[in-house]
Amino acid sequence: MLILLTFLTNCSGVKKLSIFKEEVKRQELNLEKPTPLQLEQIKWIIITSENADEVFKKMEEQGLDPVLFGLTDNDYQLIAKNFAQIRNQLKITNDLLDKYKDYYEPKTQNSQ
Amino acid sequence: MRLIFIGIIITSLLGAGAYVLKLQRDNVILKENAIKLEGAISEQKTLIENQKKDFAEILEANKKINELVNNLKKDLDDLDKRFSKKDRDIGKLAIERTGAIERVINKGSDNATRCIEIASGSPLTEKEKNATKKSEINPECPSIANPSYVPY
């Protein structure tokens, strides 16, 4: 009877509650940001049917090869717009990268 | 008969004692559970607060990026307008005033080059930061080169 009593009282006990929590932080990527560009200055020369001889003469005097790689006025406008679009895309991509880094790797977290 | 009766009493007493001990153990466990649950609720509250902060941060980041995209689009539209303003023909102008247009184009090219440097992450100079007048700004990309400039 004693065995039976012990058996019954221990059978319906309150179960201990266990809360499992295991958080393993992902390693930060911490890639270095690319070095900002330092571009070379280029010089545009406008050549027309009237000043062509003068331009080539000047180039020869300056020791430059008397040759020019040309664009029409329309293509000049297009290349200016193309570069502006590339610049915009570069800026947006860079800012997006900064925002992602701020969000996932904020400075307070980095300093911990 | 008497022995059986004593046996039953002793067994009952032992059983009661064991039951009380079990109740005490259960009580301890229940208290521990209550503490854990309170802790879990507090953690959930913190989690919800953090999620609210994250949402606010996401909204702000989206707003900033949208503003940037709109400003850059405006810079591009301005460039387009400069080429075609009042039926302007840059080719004809270059024939008529070759030297002046060459200077304008080279100045514009230098400005555009600087814009690309800034877009790639180059820090702004004090002059760029403080520019507020049209004559002081980089007209190719004022939205990224001159944060103090308000178009007028």
Side-chain angles (χ1 to χ4, degrees):
Chain A
M1 191 153 179
L2 184 65
I3 294 166
L4 182 68
L5 201 68
T6 310
F7 178 72
L8 286 173
T9 52
N10 282 326
C11 195
S12 61
V14 177
K15 284 180 184 168
K16 200 168 183 176
L17 183 70
S18 298
I19 298 172
F20 291 97
K21 194 170 67 177
E22 194 176 341
E23 187 184 342
V24 181
K25 275 188 186 169
R26 205 174 179 190
Q27 279 297 310
E28 288 172 12
L29 194 56
N30 270 338
L31 292 177
E32 283 289 313
K33 270 197 87 174
T35 315
L37 295 170
Q38 270 193 308
L39 302 175
E40 303 293 336
Q41 277 194 342
I42 53 163
K43 187 178 185 300
W44 289 90
I45 297 171
I46 296 180
I47 180 166
T48 65
S49 52
E50 288 172 12
N51 76 350
D53 291 340
E54 188 192 337
V55 167
F56 285 119
K57 197 177 159 201
K58 259 188 193 170
M59 287 173 74
E60 280 174 337
E61 282 169 7
Q62 289 168 0
L64 299 168
D65 293 330
V67 59
L68 292 168
F69 295 78
L71 288 175
T72 65
D73 56 343
N74 285 337
D75 283 347
Y76 170 76
Q77 291 179 37
L78 292 180
I79 203 173
K81 287 177 197 170
N82 284 351
F83 271 106
Q85 288 192 60
I86 292 167
R87 175 194 74 213
N88 289 357
Q89 198 70 10
L90 185 62
K91 175 69 181 163
I92 291 167
T93 310
N94 245 330
D95 276 26
L96 277 177
L97 197 66
D98 286 342
K99 294 264 181 270
Y100 269 101
K101 195 166 171 63
D102 285 348
Y103 186 79
Y104 287 106
E105 297 171 11
K107 276 172 191 159
T108 48
Q109 195 180 312
N110 288 343
S111 58
Q112 277 175 358
Chain B
M1 183 71 186
R2 198 178 171 188
L3 278 174
I4 292 169
F5 184 69
I6 291 167
I8 289 169
I9 289 173
I10 290 170
T11 310
S12 302
L13 283 172
L14 284 171
Y19 186 64
V20 168
L21 284 174
K22 179 199 166 295
L23 283 178
Q24 281 176 343
R25 280 200 307 274
D26 286 353
N27 198 26
V28 170
I29 292 169
L30 283 171
K31 276 181 187 169
E32 281 175 13
N33 286 353
I35 291 166
K36 280 180 186 171
L37 282 171
E38 276 171 21
I41 289 168
S42 163
E43 279 174 15
Q44 286 297 315
K45 277 184 185 168
T46 313
L47 181 73
I48 290 167
E49 283 302 313
N50 285 341
Q51 277 186 323
K52 277 184 187 169
K53 272 186 205 164
D54 285 349
F55 286 136
E57 218 174 307
I58 290 166
L59 282 176
E60 184 62 23
N62 269 303
K63 195 179 147 197
K64 286 267 165 67
I65 290 292
N66 282 334
E67 276 175 13
L68 175 71
V69 170
N70 287 334
N71 288 336
L72 291 175
K73 193 177 173 301
K74 195 180 166 297
D75 286 350
L76 199 61
D77 290 344
D78 286 348
L79 174 67
D80 201 30
K81 276 179 201 161
R82 249 177 289 153
F83 283 134
S84 55
K85 194 177 172 184
K86 294 176 188 169
D87 294 328
R88 180 181 280 166
D89 184 336
I90 198 168
K92 275 183 190 165
L93 281 173
I95 292 169
E96 288 160 13
R97 291 187 282 156
T98 309
I101 296 296
E102 196 172 271
R103 279 194 296 278
V104 169
I105 281 178
N106 277 305
K107 178 74 181 155
S109 175
D110 292 347
N111 286 335
T113 301
R114 177 64 189 143
C115 289
I116 292 177
E117 288 178 353
I118 294 167
S120 75
S122 175
L124 297 177
T125 62
E126 285 303 309
K127 199 179 162 191
E128 286 166 338
K129 279 184 205 166
N130 299 329
T132 52
K133 294 177 190 164
K134 260 186 186 170
S135 56
E136 296 169 340
I137 62 164
N138 181 337
E140 302 301 322
C141 57
S143 67
I144 60 171
N146 309 109
S148 308
Y149 173 68
V150 181
Y152 52 89

